[in-house]
Amino acid sequence: TRRVSAAVFLAFAIWLLAGWGSQSTMRVLVIVGGLGPSLFAAVSTGVAARRTHGRQRQAWVYMTVGLAAWALAEIVVTYNRFWLGSVHYLYPSAVNAGFLLFPVAACIAMLVFPVGYPGAARFRMVLDGAIVAASLFVVAWVAVLREAYAATGVKNSVAVLSLAYPASEVTTVTVAVLVLARAHTRWRMTMTMLTVGLTLIAASGCAYVYLLARNRYVFESPAGLGWPAGLMLVGIAALT
């Protein structure tokens, strides 16, 4: 499964970046590449939840809820872009909230997994993640984002939600790394793939906010490949 998924993603990335085929062909590729990974991940985590029990099932259920919200938001974005012809990168707040629900649900899922750390450590992990996210956000805001957002005039609630992406994603990645460090050996492979997948998703989310603030974000940017790659890894982790 891992090799097939890696081969499919590699073929998709090369085809997308090379721009092979007609406009209609590229349109189908973009739609499939946008919806496919999130649906694959949601179905995979759903299957994992059905096959497991106890806290492991709870963790996969949380992950499935977050991925389902992501997939629904992706469907709305695809509809706005290809059927309504919208080229705006910030869609209705409800859609952005759908994307934002995933890192929150993933963070809860990582804390629920029965990987061997004591229950009292969960609060410390969340606190550590929040401190790291807040620190990085302050540095990024002072160094880059404040001036860029002031220049572009992006001040509405949708923009606030877009800024919440990197903060929540960095928190989730920090928690995932801490969980991985404390995980039993039998959980290492699953936790490693989840952590790498969440890191790739967070990297694309941070790149999106940075480029959007500078009015330089474009669809099919290489910076966005972390989203499908990360979602694929989350789905593969659920099937291991």
Side-chain angles (χ1 to χ4, degrees), residues 88-92 96 154 156 158-159 162 165 208 212:
H88 204 264
Y89 305 117
L90 293 176
Y91 291 90
N96 286 293
V154 180
N156 56 27
V158 182
S162 75
Y165 292 160
Y208 166 80
L212 180 69

Side-chain angles (χ1 to χ4, degrees), residues 114-208:
V115 294
Y117 53 84
R122 298 177 195 172
F123 177 75
R124 292 199 299 271
M125 290 182 190
V126 175
L127 185 61
D128 290 343
I131 291 173
V132 171
S135 301
L136 292 177
F137 180 80
V138 169
V139 172
W141 181 259
V142 172
V144 178
L145 296 179
R146 179 176 60 183
E147 181 180 351
Y149 268 83
T152 56
V154 180
K155 299 177 181 179
N156 56 27
S157 60
V158 182
V160 173
L161 282 174
S162 75
L163 290 174
Y165 292 160
S168 59
E169 288 168 345
V170 170
T171 300
T172 301
V173 170
T174 304
V175 169
V177 170
L178 293 175
V179 171
L180 174 62
R182 292 167 170 80
H184 284 314
T185 303
R186 70 185 184 89
W187 279 96
R188 285 291 172 85
M189 179 62 71
T190 300
M191 291 298 108
T192 297
M193 286 192 288
L194 284 175
T195 301
V196 174
L198 293 172
T199 301
L200 290 172
I201 293 171
S204 281
C206 293
Y208 166 80

Side-chain angles (χ1 to χ4, degrees), residues 67-78:
L67 288 165
W70 181 297
L72 288 174
E74 193 70 56
I75 290 172
V76 175
V77 170
T78 301

